[in-house]
Amino acid sequence: MTTLPRGLDLSRPGGSPTIRHAAVFCVLLLIALLGNATRIQIVQARSYDENPANRRLLIARYAQPRGDILVGGKSVTGSEDSGEQLRYERTYRNGPLYAPVTGFASQAYGTTLLENTEDDVLSGTDPMLSSLPLWNDLTRARNPGGNIVTTLNPAAQRAAYEGLGGRRGAVAALEPSTGRVLALVSTPSYDPEQLSGTDSTVVKAWKRLNRAADKPMLNRVIRQTYPPGSTFKVITAAAALEAGVVTDVDAPTDSPDPYRLPGSSAELTNEVEGCENASLRYAFEWSCNTVFAKLGVDVGPAGMAGTAAAFGFNDHRMRIPFPVSPSTFGTGADRAQLALSSIGQFDTRATPLQMAMVSAAVANGGSVRTPHLVERTTTAAGATVSTPGPRPLHRAMSPATAVRMRELMADAVREGTGRNAALSGATVGGKTGTAQHGVDNAGLPYAWFISWAQADDSMTPGVAVAVVVEDASADRGDISGGGDAAPIARAVMKEVLNSRAGLGR
């Protein structure tokens, strides 16, 4: 006869309490295990991924070729298999030419510019690249890197780069009606491929580039602000017309020469004759400082600041898609300072991109399109993933004022200081600027030129350009926007108009 263990009663459902307790405990452990796995894989996944000690994500990031950045339908980037743990290194075609646009993608120093703002697409992590994004999240699968199609005109980009040569400076070119960025150049430049990889040469290149006196890694076209000098007179003239301070561009103005700055013993003079009581047309053609300084005072601080803001000054939110340093026009200046600010001196500062927007607003009937650099993003196979859509449009001045400003800018090229920008077969408008800077204005001036061009067989202007040349390599008295910067703008405008003609636009 078999004897049952003491305490075990088979007549009771559920068996021994000890077994039941053990079973419940195991279930609780299983629930805790599943809960912890869920917490780690879903709730805390991002913190683990972003932990600097976790190299798996970094290894996965460079385990496949990166997507490409395209200009004119051709790739200006590539990827090369290094055979190292961080396997694929970024390569660049014409690296210095496009560095102000592409930025760099470095295993050691991260990403900048388009390589940074479009990293999700280029690295293949953007869910839009996948037809099954949730499955990719669960499996940690990575799509092939997508491509970035830019708005750049390769011929205009090269014309700007070659025009600047070895000088410090920058060029921005826009399509006025759309805000498409056609050229974005900063010199001197650098080859971003020098920062790809993990060996000691990358560290040496980084140190050398950051210590260089001419700052090749400074993106002058979007990150550096300069006193815009007389190119700012476009805004002052528009403000005077909008405010009704000037109603007839050919009528004499009440403008003494020299002009004593209000509340000051300092006197402002001109470098040309005929500026006393000159008309707005004459003053614009020959860049009379006294006329525009007084016009700024007559318009007043609120009117000047409002017009500058309408053109894009003091905007801290601009992205193209990477951020652009804000251009500034002070609103708290006294009348003497306002006079100087109104001729692009004192604390008025602008990026070359901002001044291209000023010219584009004149060309586009007074409206400003927010600039954009990305035409669309695609999969590796070329299927469109996204497009930027309509860009914000805001009015800088009335259409009637824009018509007057186009006349003044065209006159400045036809008869005034901007004659070096003239093109056959096109109407060109422009404004020169020679901006003083440094302690007591001791530095060599900055040479500026802003312009727009419309082919004779076109209904609308096709391009707006801004050029700045720092410390132009010439005798101080010979440095000018018309002499140093206008020929560069002319070359860029010519390439854009030729391209539009070739496309039948």
Side-chain angles (χ1 to χ4, degrees):
M1 177 175 174
T2 303
T3 303
L4 293 174
R6 182 177 296 177
L8 180 60
D9 186 357
L10 295 179
S11 66
R12 298 178 60 188
S16 168
T18 303
I19 295 177
R20 291 201 307 272
H21 293 162
V24 170
F25 183 68
C26 289
V27 169
L28 291 176
L29 286 178
L30 180 61
I31 292 173
L33 181 63
L34 292 174
N36 189 55
T38 301
R39 178 180 63 86
I40 292 174
Q41 295 185 14
I42 298 178
V43 178
Q44 293 185 330
R46 181 176 294 275
S47 63
Y48 284 117
D49 283 344
E50 295 175 353
N51 191 316
N54 181 11
R55 286 181 56 84
R56 294 181 63 187
L57 189 64
L58 189 64
I59 293 170
R61 175 185 178 85
Y62 293 102
Q64 67 177 23
R66 194 167 171 82
D68 286 321
I69 298 171
L70 278 62
V71 175
K74 297 181 179 179
S75 172
V76 297
T77 59
S79 296
E80 184 177 81
D81 191 348
S82 68
E84 302 293 334
Q85 188 179 50
L86 303 183
R87 183 172 171 183
Y88 284 94
E89 297 178 0
R90 196 57 151 165
T91 61
Y92 295 87
R93 299 172 181 85
N94 298 313
L97 175 62
Y98 293 109
V101 174
T102 63
F104 60 76
S106 168
Q107 284 91 336
Y109 300 107
T111 56
T112 59
L113 302 179
L114 281 185
E115 293 279 26
N116 176 258
T117 59
E118 304 302 319
D119 183 66
D120 286 351
V121 173
L122 294 168
S123 64
T125 59
D126 191 326
M128 295 290 288
L129 294 172
S130 174
S131 56
L132 298 171
L134 293 178
W135 176 253
N136 280 12
D137 286 345
L138 291 173
T139 62
R140 296 286 185 168
R142 186 182 292 254
N143 297 297
N147 297 328
I148 307 300
V149 180
T150 71
T151 59
L152 293 179
N153 180 310
Q157 183 82 0
R158 184 166 291 280
Y161 184 79
E162 293 178 351
L164 286 168
R167 295 173 293 182
R168 293 196 298 261
V171 178
L174 304 173
E175 186 173 66
S177 61
T178 64
R180 296 171 73 245
V181 177
L182 303 177
L184 211 63
V185 170
S186 174
T187 57
S189 189
Y190 71 103
D191 187 353
E193 191 169 325
Q194 295 176 354
L195 302 177
S196 298
T198 57
D199 60 26
S200 60
T201 61
V202 173
V203 177
K204 292 177 181 177
W206 177 260
K207 291 180 178 179
R208 182 181 69 255
L209 290 170
N210 280 281
R211 291 171 180 169
D214 55 4
K215 299 181 179 180
M217 294 183 72
L218 172 62
N219 197 334
R220 290 171 165 85
V221 70
I222 60 160
R223 297 282 167 80
Q224 181 74 359
T225 59
Y226 303 87
S230 292
T231 59
F232 192 82
K233 292 172 183 174
V234 172
I235 295 175
T236 304
L241 290 167
E242 290 283 277
V245 171
V246 174
T247 57
D248 183 350
V249 297
D250 293 306
T253 58
D254 181 15
S255 307
D257 182 10
Y259 171 59
R260 178 170 290 181
L261 298 177
S264 169
S265 60
E267 291 187 333
L268 192 64
T269 60
N270 300 290
E271 296 184 3
V272 295
E273 300 293 331
C275 289
E276 183 175 359
N277 298 325
S279 68
L280 181 60
R281 188 184 301 274
Y282 182 91
F284 195 92
E285 287 180 14
W286 298 102
S287 205
C288 296
N289 289 329
T290 52
V291 173
F292 284 94
K294 186 174 185 299
L295 284 177
V297 172
D298 291 344
V299 170
M304 285 299 302
T307 302
F311 277 93
F313 279 73
N314 300 323
D315 183 357
H316 293 258
R317 299 168 299 173
M318 186 186 300
R319 303 179 70 88
I320 64 168
F322 40 79
V324 178
S325 294
S327 298
T328 57
F329 182 84
T331 58
D334 61 30
R335 296 175 73 213
Q337 293 167 342
L338 177 62
L340 294 176
S341 293
S342 299
I343 59 172
Q345 298 290 166
F346 188 57
D347 60 354
T348 303
R349 308 281 296 187
T351 62
L353 180 62
Q354 172 61 67
M355 295 313 296
M357 290 172 62
V358 170
S359 188
V362 174
N364 197 39
S367 296
V368 182
R369 283 283 184 191
T370 303
H372 66 282
L373 185 57
V374 176
E375 192 78 69
R376 65 183 185 277
T377 61
T378 75
T379 64
T384 297
V385 173
S386 66
T387 58
R391 305 298 291 177
L393 178 71
H394 58 275
R395 185 158 294 284
M397 56 191 147
S398 68
T401 296
V403 169
R404 289 295 179 87
M405 292 308 306
R406 285 181 64 169
E407 291 177 5
L408 296 179
M409 293 184 75
D411 286 346
V413 171
R414 186 167 48 249
E415 302 173 0
T417 57
R419 284 173 288 187
N420 282 340
L423 283 169
S424 61
T427 299
V428 177
K431 183 70 189 78
T432 57
T434 307
Q436 307 294 331
H437 71 102
V439 178
D440 296 326
N441 292 332
L444 288 175
Y446 298 136
W448 275 96
F449 191 74
I450 66 173
S451 58
W452 52 265
Q454 178 177 341
D456 290 344
D457 59 355
S458 176
M459 297 294 291
T460 58
V463 58
V465 180
V467 178
V468 64
V469 181
E470 294 184 32
D471 301 335
S473 55
D475 292 336
R476 183 184 180 91
D478 294 335
I479 296 171
S480 70
D484 293 281
I488 301 172
R490 180 184 185 275
V492 173
M493 292 186 293
K494 181 179 180 181
E495 292 295 347
V496 173
L497 295 187
N498 286 344
S499 298
R500 287 170 65 88
L503 292 172
R505 292 195 289 174

